Amino acid sequence: MKVIWEDFKASIVLENPLLRLMIGLCPVLAVSTRMENGIFLGLAATFVLVSSNVIVSLLRKFTPNKIRIPIFIVIIASFVTIVDLTMKAFFPPIYERLGIWIPLIVVNCVILGRAEAFAYKHGVLRSLADGLGMGVGFTWVLIAMGAFRELFGSGSLVLFDRTLISFGSGFQPPAILIKFPGAFLTFGFFIGVLNLIQNRGKSK
């Protein structure tokens, strides 16, 4: 159990797929204009990560090495189809906003990378923990970036059509935060904060 917990914990911060491994950045930079987008894309990616990791791990002894990548993609695509159809049926406004980024989960480097680097080499429980940890690490960065950009870029934070925080009409938000340059600035800011926290921890 200790090894499983370490796999899960390391994926959230120390091996965070976005802030540390720097993979799967495109959807994060594109959809993190709203916190709501981050919640749904993060949950979708986590579901696919966990499910594909488990299946790849279960089938790893029966998967021919030469054709493992196409097999991984078929497995991942199956779960992405489930997510795509479910979100389209039950959350059409969110589905419209996320657009192409839902089907593109199939080729997300985080998911295919973990299937190849971890699930194909480890047992089911460790693969599940790795997928869940990577998913949580991916999701919290998405949500945090979305909340930061939405709040300071538009002056309010909205979730399910309810305003959670508003700075009022007197606040003039820097619109750059909800544009593409703002995504890179916010991402760099998050990396800087994480580095600062970890460096202080090491010095202590």
Side-chain angles (χ1 to χ4, degrees):
M1 287 299 293
K2 185 177 179 180
V3 174
I4 295 173
W5 170 247
E6 291 298 325
D7 289 335
F8 173 77
K9 186 172 64 173
S11 303
I12 297 176
V13 178
L14 298 179
E15 294 182 22
N16 187 279
L18 299 173
L19 300 180
R20 283 292 172 256
L21 302 183
M22 302 287 185
I23 54 177
L25 297 180
C26 291
V28 177
L29 298 175
V31 308
S32 61
T33 52
R34 292 185 61 173
M35 182 176 70
E36 199 172 69
N37 294 350
I39 292 173
F40 279 89
L41 185 61
L43 290 175
T46 301
F47 170 76
V48 177
L49 256 169
V50 172
S51 303
S52 58
N53 262 20
V54 168
I55 300 301
V56 167
S57 179
L58 284 171
L59 299 178
R60 72 187 192 281
K61 294 181 179 179
F62 309 101
T63 303
N65 187 58
K66 292 184 179 180
I67 59 169
R68 68 188 187 283
I69 300 300
I71 291 174
F72 295 165
I73 293 174
V74 170
I75 293 170
I76 294 168
S78 301
F79 290 111
V80 170
T81 302
I82 294 172
V83 169
D84 187 74
L85 295 176
T86 300
M87 195 170 290
K88 188 175 183 179
F90 294 102
F91 306 99
I94 305 294
Y95 182 82
E96 289 295 326
R97 283 209 306 269
L98 295 179
I100 192 65
W101 297 109
I102 294 297
L104 281 179
I105 292 175
V106 173
V107 291
N108 190 298
C109 299
V110 178
I111 298 171
L112 187 58
R114 297 320 289 178
E116 165 72 7
F118 198 94
Y120 189 58
K121 301 172 183 176
H122 296 88
V124 174
L125 289 179
R126 290 192 65 184
S127 298
L128 188 152
D130 177 77
L132 187 59
M134 283 286 165
V136 171
F138 184 83
T139 303
W140 82 255
V141 176
L142 255 176
I143 293 174
M145 282 186 62
F148 183 88
R149 292 179 68 193
E150 182 180 1
L151 181 60
F152 294 101
S154 65
S156 63
L157 193 62
V158 180
L159 184 63
F160 302 118
D161 297 323
R162 296 183 63 180
T163 302
L164 303 180
I165 303 173
S166 177
F167 289 143
S169 57
F171 177 71
Q172 296 296 324
I176 191 174
L177 282 178
I178 55 175
K179 297 180 180 179
F180 280 114
F184 289 97
L185 291 173
T186 304
F187 186 69
F189 172 74
F190 273 58
I191 292 177
V193 170
L194 182 60
N195 286 340
L196 181 64
I197 293 172
Q198 290 189 333
N199 290 336
R200 283 188 175 181
K202 290 178 181 178
S203 63
K204 290 181 180 179

